[in-house]
Amino acid sequence: MGFGVRVKVWGERACFTRPEMKSERVSYDVITPSAARGILEAIHWKPAIRWHIDRIRVLKPIRFESIRRNEVGSKISPANVSRAMKAGSTAGLTNYVDQDRQQRAAMVLRDVAYVIEAHFELTPKAGADDSVGKHLDIFNRRARKGQCFHMPCLGVREFPAAFALIEEGESLPAPHESLLAERDLGWMLHDIDFAQGMAPRFFRARMAQGVIEVPPWRGVESRP
Amino acid sequence: MTAITHRYEFVYLFDITNGNPNGDPDAGNLPRLDPETNRGLVTDVCLKRKIRNFVALDKEDAAGYAIYMQEKAVLNNQHLKAYEAVGIEPVDKKLPKEEAKAREITAWMCANFFDVRSFGAVMTTGVNAGQVRGPVQMAFATSIDPVVPLEVSITRMAVTTEKEAEAQSGDNRTMGRKHIIPYGLYRAHGYISARLAERTGFSNEDLELLWRALANMFEHDRSAARGEMAARKLIVFEHESAMGNAPAHVLFDAVKVERAPGADAASPRRYEDYRVRVDTAAVPAGVTVRELM
């Protein structure tokens, strides 16, 4: 793995929403490869590269907390809109935020820390001056200095992620003792396949010694 | 409107005296508490709501400062405005096929709405105007010390219905409840990405307005439930470069909020019981610290 990176990310709270429980959000037990990719992309990304998550190390015990918030709830039917447009008046298209309240609970993770191990590949969009070394240098330089395109987050933007580069040869932080036993985390979102019309792909996540091996993207089965 | 060219982080301190800063719908509107530490919480969306309200008051109907997520706003009418302005037929839930047109709609939304420009918005509500990720990111505010909510019973010298009056045989009184926190000092962290600002056109004027909103928003948010809330400190870290010059967590760690010497250690009840220090030695080169309050 000559061009892999290791980044430690941590934060107060996190919410990696399970797709089957979206309205009253419930987080997965651990960060998904998809969210981990998002964090790396917040630090450095260009269309010329694609990040692949190899391994996720969980450092802290898995704990949840519930938060309920007021959110805006509804969609208006396009038919109504076209009707209103034909009529040339916006009458009947009312949608007041304070009458459009949904209180939604979210089951979020508390006090998380992970080490993301990843590498990237060049994509067909890579030009002549795109080399693996160049992008790796940019990423390492940025992560070392705490630079980022935008502040990475732990699933949702209200939970910012602090991050630090783990240098080559630096030892990895040890997982918490509660994570040492092998644990089956069930089917978990691997990533969204944007080439195939946003089809989600899943993998069977198993954690041993706090480490989750993420299968390569190409070998992942997609389940409708 | 030229976009900002520096990355920013900010630490925002505000306090509450005898009030409820942010009720928890799950707990009968008790002030939000972190069940593990008993510290008070104020959600990010609560603070954003107040920023929006301040801007709406401050700018009234000034062009370019409309507020999209308004109390009493009509969301899809705002989208229609965008479509009308650029003259495109809305298509159900999809961005217009031509990317240029889609960008035009999003740009129009950003140019006209302050909150879309700063916080972003998902505009996929039937009439689709695209998704905007805003440069301003805020996290939950947490109180420095554990807070103790009190339940205060109050009486009202009136009843609502005839039936109640009859049941009380003319002694028209009802009891109510208020939840208050005697005192709490809260700390919130925020992040502003120059790179995302480029995309939404979040300018230096917008940034000044945001600082002004943070400094003054409680002055226009008085109510029976809130008690006395006040913004106490706004410490801004300005990075030299757009990508930033230091990790955010290092900067936040440099702001220390401690008990003032001689303060009542058990139960702080005033802002003077705290002391806020910025450890300037811990702030890396390339970052300017400014105390705006």
Side-chain angles (χ1 to χ4, degrees), chain B residues 5-228:
Chain B
T5 50
H6 302 282
R7 187 180 114 189
Y8 296 88
E9 266 89 44
F10 59 90
V11 175
Y12 180 53
L13 293 167
F14 59 94
D15 66 356
I16 177 139
T17 314
N18 294 333
N20 179 356
N22 184 205
D24 186 346
D26 265 343
N29 211 31
L30 234 91
R32 290 181 190 274
L33 283 183
D34 178 334
E36 284 182 344
T37 60
N38 276 331
R39 289 172 187 218
L41 285 178
V42 173
T43 57
D44 60 315
V45 284
C46 171
L47 296 168
K48 285 178 176 178
R49 170 82 271 149
K50 291 187 193 342
I51 293 171
R52 287 184 165 111
N53 288 351
F54 176 85
V55 171
L57 279 176
D58 187 65
K59 289 287 179 186
E60 289 185 0
D61 295 327
Y65 289 97
I67 294 292
Y68 169 82
M69 285 287 175
Q70 255 199 8
E71 290 163 317
K72 297 267 184 290
V74 185
L75 294 191
N76 284 295
N77 287 6
Q78 318 279 35
H79 296 173
L80 277 179
K81 274 191 209 163
Y83 274 96
E84 277 161 14
V86 293
I88 305 173
E89 283 276 309
V91 185
D92 170 26
K93 293 199 180 89
K94 291 212 171 54
L95 272 176
K97 285 267 185 298
E98 304 129 76
E99 217 175 298
K101 285 247 166 89
R103 266 208 299 273
E104 213 177 338
I105 285 180
T106 312
W108 188 90
M109 289 299 286
C110 285
N112 284 278
F113 292 95
F114 175 81
D115 56 341
V116 174
R117 206 158 55 229
S118 33
F119 304 133
V122 180
M123 294 180 273
T124 37
T125 45
V127 187
N128 189 337
Q131 189 171 343
V132 183
R133 206 165 33 170
V136 182
Q137 206 174 327
M138 289 185 83
F140 283 18
T142 316
S143 67
I144 305 294
D145 285 304
V147 292
V148 186
L150 303 179
E151 196 176 13
V152 182
S153 286
I154 49 176
T155 57
R156 183 172 62 153
M157 311 309 282
V159 288
T160 316
T161 62
E162 283 289 347
K163 219 170 115 193
E164 278 181 83
E166 277 165 33
Q168 297 193 15
S169 50
D171 180 33
N172 292 354
R173 280 204 291 191
T174 40
M175 299 287 282
R177 286 205 190 104
K178 279 179 106 158
H179 296 287
I180 61 163
I181 290 175
Y183 184 80
L185 178 64
Y186 285 76
R187 172 174 178 158
H189 290 169
Y191 310 79
I192 304 175
S193 155
R195 281 300 168 76
L196 289 180
E198 277 170 30
R199 299 181 177 193
T200 69
F202 182 85
S203 66
N204 279 321
E205 290 81 20
D206 293 332
L207 187 69
E208 291 307 318
L209 180 58
L210 179 74
W211 299 147
R212 224 152 31 94
L214 286 168
N216 298 302
M217 65 196 192
F218 296 118
E219 310 299 339
H220 301 277
D221 187 58
R222 306 280 176 213
S223 80
R226 296 266 173 266
E228 294 167 57

